[in-house]
Amino acid sequence: MTRTGEQYLESLRDGREVWLDGERVTDLGSHPAFRRSARSIASLYDLAETMPAELTAEVDGIEGPVSRAFLIPRSKEELKARGRAFRLLSRATFGYLGRSPDYMAAAVAGFATCPQVLRGEGFDGSANVLAHHRRMAEGDLYQAHTLVNPQVDRTRQPSQQEQDDLYLRVVAERDGGIVVRGAKMIGTAAAFGDEVLVGVTQLMPSEEADYAVSFSVPVSSPGVKFISRTSYEGRATSVFDYPLSSRFDENDSLVVYDDVFVPWERVFAYRDPVVCQRQFWSTPAFVGFVHHGATRLWTKLEFLTGVAILVARANNTHELPPVRMQIGRMMSWVATARALVLAMEDACEPVPGGDGAVMPNREIAHAQLAVGPELYPRAVAELKLLAGGGLIQLPSSYRDLLEPEVAALLGKYVRSPGHDSEQRIKLFKLAWDAVGSEFAGRHDQYERFYHGAPHTYLPAIVREGDPEGCADLARQCLDGYSLTEG
């Protein structure tokens, strides 16, 4: 069954170990560095209560409706329905929560689509991953994940690092499970989750088997520690001055696993580099990531374009031909992002070994990985150009508008046709938070790298696409004429 936002906020009071600014945070739901973002996540759970037909579905073997993201799509329409749910949830946060609860829920469904992939030579995690899918769906739980090793020395294998537990590895076996030690980086929104999944997406050599493990444990498990980056929400002076930073900072953490005990029933892959890699690439899990991310980027570009239109109108430049060109360019990028989402859904393909399940078209999904990181910085740049110096010359705080003497000066000098000082400042504060604040800088970097570096996803397009089809077309042209034709 789905849960309410209040139930989600209550779940944050479970003793999880989160560190920020040298202090341990005991309750994310009430701490000034996390509370508004936690409420934004809670509001997504409440949406399922108000829009059950769009955001929930019946899943075989599970009593009551669950989040649609946990559904294994078995038709094009079911896949599209999941995409529409992604779209509704992303619009609720204007595209700024990249790791909302539905993101990993779709991946968990992807694992459960092909449980046989988790059957290794020495360990069979297939039953565990099915039970995990059921548990997460029944409880409407928030699955966080950590996949990336720390940037210590990327030229060396895990076991060749200065210390053998810089990267997470298995250090012991016990009767009921295993003990792991090490760290994973960029745990985006991990501190807000119910459980955190550890996985490996790249194929490691067989001699690195100690590091080839996949599992999920509650975030409050003894030994799991979250070391938070700077909280942009915590630094936001008010919602008026930082409307995005203050409400949609999903945070990123270094997640340290300090001798964490993992019961066998929570292990999906064990000391098996091949199975660890196949968990993401031989199931619909990764392409599910892309489906969600592409839908959210579509929303985010739409939002930035909307802000650009409002800024142009506030500057009274909206009807100028050069400005119309800029707006048209941004709207073309929105249409491109939308087209990629709809195309990967419409050209969906059967999941190999998926018992009739379907997934987004892999070639188009991987093409989106190349297009998305290029579109987002360009949209940000266009908005900066349209806003000009108005982004720089803003009062320091909303309090200036509440002080009569200063407010009178702002009312005289900071305005435009049809926009008084409060309306204009409010709009340009929003634009600055989207393109110029520390929060905005993080999102620019995030959109460039959240699905991997270019050297990872660009070759994947060759693997998932049809390079020979392209080459054959070129050969047809070559074969159509000869040297004798002059």
Side-chain angles (χ1 to χ4, degrees):
M1 295 290 291
T2 57
R3 61 177 172 176
T4 66
E6 188 57 41
Q7 288 171 328
Y8 165 73
L9 292 173
E10 180 61 33
S11 75
L12 297 175
R13 305 181 184 97
D14 58 2
R16 63 191 66 192
E17 187 173 346
V18 180
W19 291 88
L20 174 72
D21 294 334
E23 297 181 356
R24 182 169 177 177
V25 178
T26 57
D27 180 8
L28 272 68
S30 61
H31 194 280
F34 299 95
R35 63 188 179 192
R36 288 196 180 100
S37 297
R39 290 171 191 166
S40 293
I41 296 170
S43 71
L44 299 181
Y45 282 103
D46 285 334
L47 267 182
E49 295 292 314
T50 59
M51 307 180 72
E54 294 85 355
L55 298 177
T56 66
E58 299 288 339
V59 175
D60 291 343
I62 298 178
E63 183 178 352
V66 301
S67 168
R68 187 172 288 278
F70 284 110
L71 179 70
I72 298 174
R74 301 199 179 277
S75 68
K76 181 187 296 187
E77 183 47 47
E78 286 187 345
L79 180 66
K80 288 185 173 183
R82 186 168 76 176
R84 290 193 293 271
F86 289 162
R87 173 80 164 146
L88 281 169
L89 292 168
S90 69
R91 285 177 64 86
T93 61
F94 312 103
Y96 281 94
L97 288 186
R99 297 293 193 263
S100 51
D102 51 327
Y103 179 82
M104 273 301 292
V108 171
F111 301 149
T113 304
C114 303
Q116 69 278 6
V117 168
L118 281 301
R119 292 175 187 153
E121 293 185 5
F123 183 83
D124 183 354
S126 58
N128 290 352
V129 84
L130 288 173
H132 179 70
H133 174 243
R134 182 188 182 98
R135 182 177 71 252
M136 299 300 288
E138 285 181 335
D140 202 9
L141 300 182
Y142 189 170
Q143 177 80 75
H145 69 299
T146 49
L147 306 177
V148 182
N149 291 323
Q151 289 180 329
V152 180
D153 187 347
R154 290 291 172 86
T155 67
R156 298 181 180 184
Q157 293 291 342
S159 62
Q160 297 171 342
Q161 302 293 322
E162 296 175 2
Q163 297 169 277
D164 64 3
D165 60 355
L166 290 178
Y167 294 178
L168 183 141
R169 73 179 184 94
V170 178
V171 295
E173 285 189 20
R174 294 181 184 169
D175 289 343
I178 60 176
V179 178
V180 298
R181 183 189 306 153
K184 293 282 186 177
M185 62 179 278
I186 319 183
T188 301
F192 290 106
D194 292 298
E195 293 196 15
V196 58
L197 179 141
V198 168
V200 181
T201 59
Q202 295 178 322
L203 181 62
M204 294 187 294
S206 58
E207 57 267 25
E208 302 295 324
D210 284 347
Y211 300 85
V213 61
S214 173
F215 59 85
S216 180
V217 292
V219 296
S220 58
S221 298
V224 177
K225 308 173 191 292
F226 300 90
I227 304 175
S228 171
R229 61 147 165 84
T230 297
S231 170
Y232 309 133
E233 177 183 341
R235 294 190 176 186
T237 53
S238 71
V239 176
F240 186 92
D241 293 309
Y242 295 95
L244 303 176
S245 304
S246 62
R247 297 182 294 162
F248 307 119
D249 183 17
E250 59 190 345
N251 211 283
D252 309 277
S253 299
L254 174 71
V255 185
V256 178
Y257 299 83
D258 187 6
D259 287 348
V260 175
F261 176 70
V262 184
W264 285 118
E265 60 269 21
R266 288 182 168 271
V267 178
F268 309 134
Y270 181 61
R271 304 189 79 252
D272 194 325
V274 173
V275 171
C276 278
Q277 186 209 32
R278 291 178 62 203
Q279 179 179 2
F280 290 91
W281 300 105
S282 296
T283 73
F286 187 82
V287 76
F289 284 162
V290 181
H291 187 203
H292 181 280
T295 305
R296 183 193 50 76
L297 180 63
W298 164 20
T299 299
K300 206 170 181 182
L301 291 174
E302 185 179 29
F303 170 77
L304 290 176
T305 301
V307 174
I309 292 169
L310 296 180
V311 164
R313 289 174 179 169
N315 284 340
N316 203 27
T317 60
H318 186 260
E319 299 304 320
L320 296 178
V323 174
R324 300 286 283 183
M325 287 177 59
Q326 287 181 271
I327 297 297
R329 188 177 297 117
M330 294 184 73
M331 292 188 68
S332 76
W333 296 335
V334 175
T336 298
R338 173 176 177 266
L340 283 166
V341 171
L342 299 182
M344 71 175 74
E345 293 173 351
D346 197 62
C348 64
E349 53 192 75
V351 178
D355 192 27
V358 299
M359 62 181 173
N361 182 278
R362 287 175 294 182
E363 181 178 7
I364 298 172
H366 283 80
Q368 192 277 338
L369 295 182
V371 174
E374 294 182 359
L375 292 186
Y376 187 78
R378 292 168 72 182
V380 168
E382 288 290 347
L383 179 49
K384 286 181 177 180
L385 287 171
L386 284 165
L391 288 177
I392 300 171
Q393 194 59 68
L394 284 168
S396 60
S397 165
Y398 74 96
R399 294 182 179 88
D400 289 322
L401 289 165
L402 301 179
E403 206 290 320
E405 182 177 354
V406 179
L409 294 172
L410 293 173
K412 180 177 180 179
Y413 295 111
V414 185
R415 59 186 175 84
S416 54
H419 296 75
D420 62 24
S421 59
E422 180 180 334
Q423 292 171 322
R424 183 178 175 86
I425 291 168
K426 183 178 183 181
L427 171 60
F428 276 74
K429 287 277 190 181
L430 172 62
W432 175 253
D433 208 12
V435 302
S437 66
E438 193 173 11
F439 173 86
R442 181 264 181 192
H443 274 268
D444 181 82
Q445 195 74 357
Y446 174 86
E447 295 297 349
R448 294 172 189 260
F449 292 103
Y450 79 99
H451 273 154
H455 71 268
T456 299
Y457 59 71
L458 289 176
I461 299 172
V462 181
R463 183 187 68 241
E464 299 293 344
D466 182 18
E468 287 308 313
C470 298
D472 286 344
L473 185 60
R475 287 193 194 98
Q476 288 179 35
C477 182
L478 285 170
D479 293 342
Y481 59 93
S482 66
L483 181 65
T484 60
E485 296 182 52

